[in-house]
Amino acid sequence: MDAPEPQPATAPSGAPTIRTIAMPADTNPAGDIFGGWLLAQMDFAAGTAAARVARGRCATIAIEAMRFLKPVYVGDEVSLYADILHVGRTSMRINVEAWRRSREGEEVEQVTQGVFTFVAIDANRKPRPIPVQG
């Protein structure tokens, strides 16, 4: 009996927090998309989600469990999905997944995943309470 065909990956449901195109300027000296560029895109997505929850300015205070699973190539569409894992008094943890789609196709694959911690900050850059959700 033959092994079952692998099923194509399915990106998270809903609209991505950010969608962008990997450009030649985003490459390292070897011509591959620079991991730091991808990390920055993930931080932008997490920051966008954090600011919505906190209803204001937030700062990244930690990145944990960061994993690069697959490469991203010049011209790929990169979609970033941010999911709030936990909201505390002044901080929150956000899972971010990055998915790529080649310009020529419809198949998607997850390329990175990481957990970001943000703290809500006031005008003096001091931690402030996150408004109660509801």
Side-chain angles (χ1 to χ4, degrees):
M1 179 170 201
D2 292 335
E5 291 267 332
Q7 296 299 312
T10 304
S13 61
T17 305
I18 293 176
R19 183 174 283 156
T20 190
I21 303 295
M23 300 297 288
D26 305 320
T27 61
N28 61 26
D32 301 318
I33 294 300
F34 183 53
W37 175 83
L38 195 51
L39 178 62
Q41 300 307 308
M42 294 174 75
D43 194 42
F44 290 145
T48 297
R52 291 181 89 173
V53 169
R55 297 188 189 108
R57 191 170 181 179
C58 294
T60 310
I61 60 167
I63 302 170
E64 58 185 272
M66 183 69 200
R67 294 179 298 169
F68 292 97
L69 306 171
K70 306 268 180 154
V72 174
Y73 304 102
V74 171
D76 283 353
E77 177 185 270
V78 178
S79 297
L80 300 118
Y81 298 85
D83 182 41
I84 305 296
L85 298 175
H86 175 77
V87 177
R89 192 177 78 74
T90 62
S91 66
M92 67 196 88
R93 293 178 67 236
I94 303 163
N95 184 66
V96 179
E97 293 183 9
W99 291 71
R100 70 170 283 278
R101 182 187 66 79
S102 167
R103 283 182 92 71
E104 297 83 28
E106 292 301 317
E107 186 175 323
V108 296
E109 66 179 345
Q110 186 178 2
V111 294
T112 65
Q113 179 274 329
V115 177
F116 293 70
T117 302
F118 277 76
V119 66
I121 56 176
D122 63 19
N124 297 315
R125 296 189 172 114
K126 301 292 183 202
R128 66 171 173 83
I130 295 171
V132 176
Q133 305 298 306

